[in-house]
Amino acid sequence: MDRYINAPIDNEIVNSLKAGDCVYITGTIYTARDAAHKRMYEAIKNGENIPFELKNNIIYYLGPSPAREGQVIGSAGPTTSSRMDKYTPLLLEHGLKGMIGKGKRSDNVIESMYKNNAVYFAAIGGAGALLSKCIKKAEVIAYDDLGTEAIRKLEVENLPAIVVIDNKKNNMYESHK
Amino acid sequence: MREVSTDEITKNIKEMCIEANYILSDDVKNKIINSAAVENSEIGKKILSQLEENMEIAEREQIPICQDTGMAVVFIKVGQEVHITGGNLEDAINQGVREGYTEGYLRKSVVKDPLIRENTKDNTPAIIHYEIVQGDKVEITVAPKGFGSENMSRVCMLKPADGIEGVKNAVIETVKLAGPNACPPVVVGVGIGGTFEKCALLAKKALTRDINSESSIEYVAELEKELLDEINNLNIGPGGLGGKITALGVNIETYPTHIAGLPVAINMCCHVNRHKKRIL
């Protein structure tokens, strides 16, 4: 089923999404990958603030290539989600509602998504040029020193993704087998 | 002796890094386009058509095909009748990578130390494989390698008694374990024989071979076909969401090995299987 949703997303939207749905996401999302996850995880553990409010937000696992003059962003496809698995449950406990990446998630993450009512989307791996066209604004908001791994606030328009794991543990990577 | 300057090497490496990341070679490009007709899953067809669109946008608007523009793997065959002039060859190669990744707006994905993890900010150093060969030419292959698929690669030290069945199992098992993580449709490079490190190098080299070519050894060529069929019956499919096109090709390279061993390496590569070759 094709769905058009606006980010950030609330529980009602999460409840309405089913594994297998094709979604087009419009609104504000944030990028973070390995190094930014490690920093946010450690900050939360130490009781420090993190660069953006997790509640109801979506994180896109992305480290873009540099933008040319006149471009909003360079190539911007998803990276492998499983590397973030170690850090993800803590972020979900703090309100994170959605993640966009590619590839499998650990049982811990799936369990935490179930408990905290969240959804996991896959974007097409290796389609970075196509996906970059859906990004209308990009701004580094934190961890600038991490280069491509810095946290970026993105305004996206109809970013295509597929619900792979929903809040009821339905997993499209498993179910088609 | 024929002279080749380090400046010429730097210039060519730079151009190849950029070209490889914007335009796939025809063999891989056509395979992706043609496979849409064979795919039977609806979502698989959709993903393959989006990959085609992605390649068109990349070429037209000069956006890298994938944001992971890779670690630069360079194979360089230097003819023994060639004299390299103007400086150090390794420095020349790394300078080419530096210029290519900076001027080509490619992502800098290399960290200086595997545990301290500070970005080198220019994508150097390259991974360089030298070979001294006959003749007076320099053959350079640049193959930027993304790590989504690299991380799903494996080396298996099989026993001679495991035989061809053992090799097949190792390859199929690796593709299954990689699943959606390696960005299918994948290209599978396999190295059989040699030593621990030699088979891994063979597997990497196999990925730089034309996807439509087959091994010159008859039984190996058959194994390539058989494995491709088996992989495409696993129903992993484009994006790992089910379908027939899990792999675009399987390339195998072999080498003599020890009486006690049967090393096998499987180097997974995503559909953005980049490789450019030039002869100077």
Side-chain angles (χ1 to χ4, degrees):
Chain A
M1 190 171 142
D2 279 3
R3 295 283 312 272
Y4 291 81
I5 62 170
N6 288 307
I9 53 174
D10 57 16
N11 281 323
E12 203 179 319
I13 294 176
V14 173
N15 293 337
S16 73
L17 295 171
K18 304 272 171 290
D21 286 350
C22 290
V23 296
Y24 296 88
I25 303 168
T26 298
T28 305
I29 62 175
Y30 294 86
T31 71
R33 45 171 291 155
D34 308 55
H37 268 76
K38 186 169 187 280
R39 275 197 200 172
M40 287 198 288
Y41 179 87
E42 284 165 2
I44 294 172
K45 285 273 180 197
N46 294 330
E48 294 159 10
N49 286 334
I50 60 165
F52 65 97
E53 173 76 39
L54 287 171
K55 192 167 183 279
N56 289 351
N57 270 316
I58 296 175
I59 291 180
Y60 184 13
Y61 301 142
L62 162 68
S65 65
R68 286 172 187 271
E69 244 169 84
Q71 283 177 346
V72 174
I73 199 164
S75 194
T79 195
T80 309
S81 310
S82 58
R83 292 195 316 274
M84 269 50 80
D85 283 354
K86 178 181 169 184
Y87 309 113
T88 298
L90 186 70
L91 303 188
L92 291 168
E93 281 160 29
H94 282 76
L96 181 67
K97 279 286 148 206
M99 299 151 285
I100 308 169
K102 64 164 170 97
K104 297 176 239 187
R105 304 311 304 256
S106 70
D107 291 345
N108 273 347
V109 169
I110 296 172
E111 193 58 44
S112 178
M113 284 170 55
Y114 175 71
K115 218 163 69 187
N116 297 294
N117 204 42
V119 60
Y120 171 55
F121 307 96
I124 301 170
L130 178 76
L131 290 163
S132 77
K133 307 305 286 176
C134 306
I135 299 171
K136 303 301 170 190
K137 246 172 94 179
E139 179 198 355
V140 172
I141 58 156
Y143 307 160
D144 199 13
D145 61 301
L146 295 179
T148 183
E149 295 202 67
I151 293 183
R152 288 172 171 78
K153 183 179 177 182
L154 305 181
E155 299 299 330
V156 298
E157 208 175 282
N158 292 327
L159 183 86
I162 293 151
V163 178
V164 172
I165 307 173
D166 63 25
N167 62 349
K168 303 200 173 51
K169 303 190 194 177
N170 295 309
N171 186 343
M172 228 211 145
Y173 287 143
E174 302 297 332
S175 59
H176 71 76
K177 282 182 187 164
Chain B
M1 267 188 133
R2 188 173 161 252
E3 292 194 345
V4 174
S5 73
T6 48
D7 284 351
E8 203 182 337
I9 287 169
T10 296
K11 175 180 161 280
N12 278 282
I13 299 253
K14 168 190 158 179
E15 290 170 359
M16 287 155 89
C17 286
I18 295 174
E19 198 186 312
N21 274 296
Y22 288 94
I23 307 165
L24 282 183
S25 49
D26 285 342
D27 58 331
V28 181
K29 195 196 284 184
N30 292 332
K31 201 82 181 185
I32 293 173
I33 294 169
N34 296 335
S35 62
V38 187
E39 180 54 70
N40 47 20
S41 105
E42 207 173 306
I43 194 148
K45 268 187 192 299
K46 189 172 168 182
I47 290 173
L48 289 169
S49 82
Q50 285 174 324
L51 293 183
E52 186 180 347
E53 196 187 342
N54 184 61
M55 290 189 288
E56 287 164 7
I57 294 171
E59 190 169 342
R60 190 177 64 229
E61 302 195 21
Q62 293 287 287
I63 304 171
I65 305 158
C66 176
Q67 75 290 340
D68 184 354
T69 51
M71 193 160 189
V73 177
V74 177
F75 290 96
I76 182 158
K77 288 183 185 171
V78 182
Q80 56 192 19
E81 307 301 324
V82 174
H83 178 209
I84 308 271
T85 60
N88 180 298
L89 176 58
E90 186 177 330
D91 291 346
I93 294 170
N94 281 321
Q95 184 60 23
V97 170
R98 186 173 291 122
E99 290 176 12
Y101 275 74
T102 307
E103 292 172 34
Y105 294 88
L106 305 178
R107 197 178 76 179
K108 300 9 169 231
S109 312
V110 175
V111 292
K112 204 181 290 176
D113 180 285
L115 292 172
I116 296 166
R117 307 200 71 82
E118 189 193 338
N119 199 300
T120 63
K121 298 197 165 73
D122 60 9
N123 220 53
T124 65
I127 304 293
I128 309 169
H129 302 292
Y130 300 96
E131 237 177 287
I132 304 291
V133 296
Q134 283 204 334
D136 64 354
K137 301 277 191 290
V138 176
E139 183 193 296
I140 305 173
T141 301
V142 173
K145 186 65 172 73
F147 259 57
S149 54
E150 191 75 354
N151 280 337
M152 305 317 289
S153 306
R154 297 201 303 169
V155 172
C156 308
M157 301 304 285
L158 301 181
K159 298 178 184 71
D162 293 329
I164 199 160
E165 284 308 312
V167 171
K168 283 187 210 165
N169 289 341
V171 174
I172 296 295
E173 189 64 23
T174 304
V175 174
K176 273 194 202 168
L177 281 172
N181 292 26
C183 288
V186 294
V187 180
V188 185
V190 182
I192 310 174
T195 48
F196 180 76
E197 84 286 8
K198 179 70 178 183
C199 70
L201 185 55
L202 290 173
K204 179 73 77 204
K205 245 187 203 166
L207 288 175
T208 66
R209 224 177 74 199
D210 188 304
I211 208 170
N212 297 308
S213 66
E214 51 179 46
S215 169
S216 55
I217 305 164
E218 204 184 321
Y219 89 89
V220 179
E222 271 168 36
L223 185 59
E224 288 173 340
K225 272 191 224 135
E226 200 180 318
L227 280 170
L228 181 60
D229 282 347
E230 245 184 87
I231 289 167
N232 284 339
N233 282 324
L234 292 174
N235 197 25
I236 293 170
L241 296 165
K244 204 173 158 44
I245 308 298
T246 300
L248 301 168
V250 177
N251 284 353
I252 303 176
E253 295 290 320
T254 61
Y255 197 79
T257 190
H258 190 277
I259 49 172
L262 176 53
V264 181
I266 303 102
N267 197 184
M268 300 295 296
C269 190
C270 58
H271 52 87
V272 191
N273 178 20
R274 295 160 282 208
H275 48 87
K276 297 286 168 191
K277 184 163 88 176
R278 287 189 188 177
I279 295 167
L280 310 182

